[in-house]
Amino acid sequence: MLSESYTAVEANRRKKFDGKKWLRVVGMLLVLLIIAFPFLWLIISSFKYEKDIISFPPRIFADEYTFDNYIKVWTTIPLLDYIKNTVIFAGGTVITSVFFDSLAGYAFARMRFKGKSVLFYFVLLTMMIPFQVFMIPLFIQANFLGMLDTYAGLIIPRMTTAFGIFMMRSFFVTLPDSLEEAARIDGLSEFKIFLKIMLPLSKPTLLSLAIFTLMNSWNDLLYPLILTTSSRMRTLPAGLALFTGQNISFYGPVMAGTVISMLPLLIIYVFAQKYFVQGTAMSGMKE
C-alpha cells in the first residue's frame, strides 16, 4: 500500500515536471517562429510572381511559384562581380581586423605602459561616435589619397575596431599570470608569448570576433556605398540598393538577390556556431 502511494506521488511529480518542460518548449518555439518569420517570408516571396508580392491583403503563400526572379537578378545586374567584391572586402577586413584587434587587446590586457588606461578609455569612447559623423571626412581623405574605388580603400579603414579591441582585451584579462611568467622564464619574447601561448588559447574568441566582423562587413551598405563610385566595385548590399532604386517595381529579383547574399553567412554561422557560443561565454569569465 505504501509503495503504491509512493509510486502515485512520483508519477504526479514527473507529470508536473513534464508540463513545465513542454511549456518551455512551446515558448521557445513561439519565439523561434517570431524571429524566423521574416526570413521565411523573404525566401517564399523570392519565388513569387510580382503580383503576389504586392497583393493586398498580403498572403504568405501564393498559388504559383517561379524561378524567374533568380534568373532576372543574375541577368540584370553583375551579381558575380558584387559577390567577388564582397568576399574580398569582408575577407580582408576579417583577417586584418582580427589580427590587429588581438594585438591591441593583448597590449591593453597584459602589458604595462604609461597612459594605458587613458588610451583604452579613448578607444572605448570612439564606439559612441556614429559612422555618419565622420563619413564625409573619411570620403575626403580617401579621395585625397587616391583610394576611392579600390579594395585598399575599403579594407584599410576597417583594419581595426574599438569593439574588437574591447572583446579581445576582455578575454586576455581572464588568463592567469602564471602562463606569462613561465614563458618569460623560458626566454620567450613578448611577441612570441602572444603568438605561441595567448593566441592559441583565444581561438573561440577569435572566431567569435571573426563572425561579428564578417557579418558587419558583409551586410554593410553605407560604408561601401560612399567609398565606391563605379558599379564594378560595388558590394552586394550596395549593388542591390542601386538595383532597387533603378527598378523600384521589381521586388521579386531584389528578394532573390537578398536570399543569395544571405546564404553564405547562414552556412558559415551553422558550422561555426559552437565556437561562437563558446567564445562569447569565455569572454565573460573571471580568473
Side-chain angles (χ1 to χ4, degrees):
M1 188 71 177
L2 184 61
S3 61
E4 292 179 358
S5 301
Y6 176 78
T7 304
V9 171
E10 184 67 17
N12 290 333
R13 188 185 69 81
R14 291 181 178 178
K15 186 176 180 180
K16 291 181 180 179
F17 175 79
D18 291 340
K20 293 179 180 179
K21 179 181 178 180
W22 280 108
L23 185 62
R24 288 196 298 268
V25 171
V26 171
M28 287 188 292
L29 289 176
L30 182 61
V31 173
L32 178 62
L33 180 62
I34 294 173
I35 296 174
F37 179 75
F39 298 99
L40 295 176
W41 183 289
L42 173 66
I43 294 172
I44 295 172
S45 297
S46 67
F47 294 99
K48 291 180 180 179
Y49 286 98
E50 198 72 26
K51 61 182 180 64
D52 294 321
I53 297 176
I54 62 177
S55 64
F56 187 85
R59 297 165 52 194
I60 299 177
F61 300 102
D63 297 329
E64 294 180 309
Y65 296 94
T66 178
F67 284 96
D68 290 346
N69 294 326
Y70 288 90
I71 297 174
K72 186 177 292 185
V73 76
W74 277 101
T75 56
T76 306
I77 61 176
L79 197 62
L80 281 178
D81 291 337
Y82 293 163
I83 293 174
K84 180 193 71 173
N85 295 335
T86 306
V87 169
I88 294 175
F89 164 56
T93 302
V94 167
I95 295 172
T96 55
S97 178
V98 167
F99 178 70
F100 289 112
D101 288 347
S102 60
L103 277 174
Y106 174 80
F108 282 122
R110 317 299 296 192
M111 300 178 66
R112 297 180 181 179
F113 54 90
K114 290 183 178 181
K116 181 176 74 171
S117 299
V118 175
L119 184 58
F120 180 66
Y121 291 142
F122 177 78
V123 171
L124 293 183
L125 186 64
T126 62
M127 296 175 64
M128 304 179 187
I129 304 175
F131 174 70
Q132 290 78 2
V133 173
F134 59 87
M135 64 180 184
I136 295 178
L138 177 63
F139 172 82
I140 296 173
Q141 185 178 15
N143 185 39
F144 177 76
L145 296 174
M147 296 172 60
L148 290 180
D149 259 357
T150 63
Y151 294 123
L154 287 171
I155 295 173
I156 290 177
R158 290 287 184 88
M159 290 178 68
T160 183
T161 61
F163 172 77
I165 294 173
F166 172 76
M167 185 174 181
M168 294 307 302
R169 178 191 177 276
S170 299
F171 172 79
F172 286 129
V173 165
T174 64
L175 297 179
D177 295 335
S178 56
L179 292 174
E180 288 178 82
E181 295 171 359
R184 288 193 176 95
I185 291 174
D186 291 338
L188 293 182
S189 63
E190 198 70 46
F191 184 74
K192 286 186 177 180
I193 293 175
F194 163 77
L195 193 63
K196 295 185 177 181
I197 298 178
M198 299 298 181
L199 205 59
L201 292 175
S202 63
K203 180 181 177 181
T205 307
L206 287 174
L207 289 174
S208 300
L209 178 59
I211 293 174
F212 276 125
T213 307
L214 178 64
M215 291 175 60
N216 184 44
S217 301
W218 191 279
N219 296 322
D220 201 345
L221 169 63
L222 186 58
Y223 174 78
L225 197 61
I226 290 174
L227 294 181
T228 56
T229 57
S230 63
S231 178
R232 64 179 181 84
M233 286 297 298
R234 300 291 187 193
T235 59
L236 269 172
L240 291 175
L242 293 179
F243 176 75
T244 306
Q246 296 171 358
N247 307 275
I248 191 65
S249 61
F250 296 149
Y251 296 105
V254 173
M255 292 185 175
T258 305
V259 171
I260 293 173
S261 67
M262 184 180 65
L263 282 178
L265 288 182
L266 183 62
I267 295 172
I268 291 173
Y269 183 78
V270 167
F271 286 100
Q273 63 173 334
K274 65 176 182 179
Y275 299 105
F276 177 78
V277 175
Q278 183 181 357
T280 306
M282 292 180 67
S283 297
M285 290 176 59
K286 297 293 183 181
E287 181 182 352

